[in-house]
């Protein structure tokens, strides 16, 4: 089913099963909008204008809360209130090099996201209601990818060392390295949590690869 035609799609899209809707970004010249498209068809709804959420956005399981990264400079994590106002999820910091990207909803209140708030990029958790932040990923952990369906693991593209890694959200288990290619990026879990899908560069091309979540050959 075609949900939208003649639109310049941006870099992010996510489904909201509880709403039977799909959210995605679209570009109009230099401007980017976050829009909502009912899966049954109908008019598109603009959720946020003048933003550039190319690094993803997150919707809570109940479909009532939405957060996204502005992807501007500095990049901020924002949530949208019932009245349409955009409110920072994390308290502001005085830095021109600040970024908060790749938000992923753990439940109806907590978000994982990537940030350089303490130095090299790593994964953090924030209570979207209170703004409390703590690290769950190792230093130099790189960019957050996906979260397992059971909400026990998160996947990330490591930078030192490189490759695809799994980290435990509760911190009880050391990170697990699945691959070691420097180009491996954007990991996501399969629906049964048994595999991790990721992209790998080969020459001028990019291919999708899959590797068992318990480790093995990609």
């Amino acid at each position: 089913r075609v949900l939208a035609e003649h639109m310049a799609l941006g870099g992010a899209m996510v489904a909201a099963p509880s709403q039977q809707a799909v959210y995605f970004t679209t570009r109009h010249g230099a401007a980017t909008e976050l829009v909502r498209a009912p899966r049954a068809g109908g008019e598109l709804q603009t959720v946020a204008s003048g933003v550039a959420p190319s690094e993803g956005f997150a919707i809570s399981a109940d479909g009532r809360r939405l957060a996204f990264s502005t992807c501007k400079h500095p990049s901020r994590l924002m949530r949208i209130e019932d009245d349409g106002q955009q409110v920072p999820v994390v308290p502001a910091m005085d830095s021109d090099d600040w970024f908060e990207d790749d938000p992923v909803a753990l439940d109806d209140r907590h978000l994982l996201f990537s940030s350089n708030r303490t130095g090299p990029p790593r994964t953090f958790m924030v209570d979207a209601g209170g703004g409390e932040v703590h690290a769950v990923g190792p230093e130099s952990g790189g960019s957050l990818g996906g979260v397992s369906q059971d909400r026990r693991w998160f996947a990330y593209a490591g930078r030192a060392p490189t490759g695809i890694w799994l980290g435990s959200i509760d911190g009880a288990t050391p990170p697990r390295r699945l691959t070691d290619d420097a180009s491996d990026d954007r990991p996501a879990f399969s629906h049964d949590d048994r595999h991790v899908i990721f992209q790998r560069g080969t020459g001028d091309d990019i291919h999708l690869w899959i590797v068992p979540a318990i480790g093995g050959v990609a």
Side-chain angles (χ1 to χ4, degrees), residues 25-35 46-54 68-74 76 78 80 84 86:
T25 55
T26 178
R27 297 192 182 97
H28 297 282
T32 303
E33 293 183 342
L34 178 59
V35 299
T46 298
V47 179
S49 299
V51 299
S54 61
F68 64 92
S69 172
T70 62
C71 296
K72 293 185 177 180
H73 189 77
R76 302 296 312 282
M78 308 290 287
I80 299 179
Q86 299 177 23

Side-chain angles (χ1 to χ4, degrees), residues 84-106:
Q85 294 294 314
Q86 299 177 23
V87 180
V89 175
V90 182
M93 297 286 288
D94 295 328
S95 173
D96 291 335
D97 295 322
W98 190 259
F99 75 80
E100 299 159 356
D101 292 330
D102 311 308
V104 177
L106 285 180

Side-chain angles (χ1 to χ4, degrees), residues 1 13 31 43 47 67 70 89 92 97 106 115 130 159-160 169 182 202 204 208:
R1 179 183 300 118
M13 177 179 291
E43 293 189 7
V47 179
T70 62
V89 175
D97 295 322
L106 285 180
S115 180
R159 293 294 174 260
I169 292 176
T202 305
D204 294 331
L208 291 180

Side-chain angles (χ1 to χ4, degrees), residues 75-191:
S75 181
R76 302 296 312 282
L77 205 62
M78 308 290 287
R79 70 174 187 266
I80 299 179
E81 303 286 85
D82 291 337
D83 59 2
Q85 294 294 314
Q86 299 177 23
V87 180
V89 175
V90 182
M93 297 286 288
D94 295 328
S95 173
D96 291 335
D97 295 322
W98 190 259
F99 75 80
E100 299 159 356
D101 292 330
D102 311 308
V104 177
L106 285 180
D107 49 37
D108 295 338
R109 187 178 181 97
H110 297 89
L111 289 169
L112 293 185
F113 67 100
S114 301
S115 180
N116 62 343
R117 59 187 295 120
T118 59
R122 64 191 304 191
T123 299
F124 293 85
M125 181 188 295
V126 59
D127 183 330
E132 297 181 5
V133 180
H134 67 273
V136 296
E139 293 183 9
S140 300
S143 300
L144 175 65
V147 173
S148 61
Q149 310 302 319
D150 61 12
R151 295 307 192 248
R152 295 177 55 198
W153 301 89
F154 64 95
Y156 62 94
R159 293 294 174 260
T162 59
I164 301 300
W165 292 73
L166 297 188
S168 61
I169 292 176
D170 62 7
T173 306
R176 179 190 308 157
R177 192 179 191 181
L178 300 182
T179 73
D180 57 8
D181 193 289
S183 70
D184 293 350
D185 201 6
R186 298 193 176 278
F189 283 87
S190 61
H191 287 291

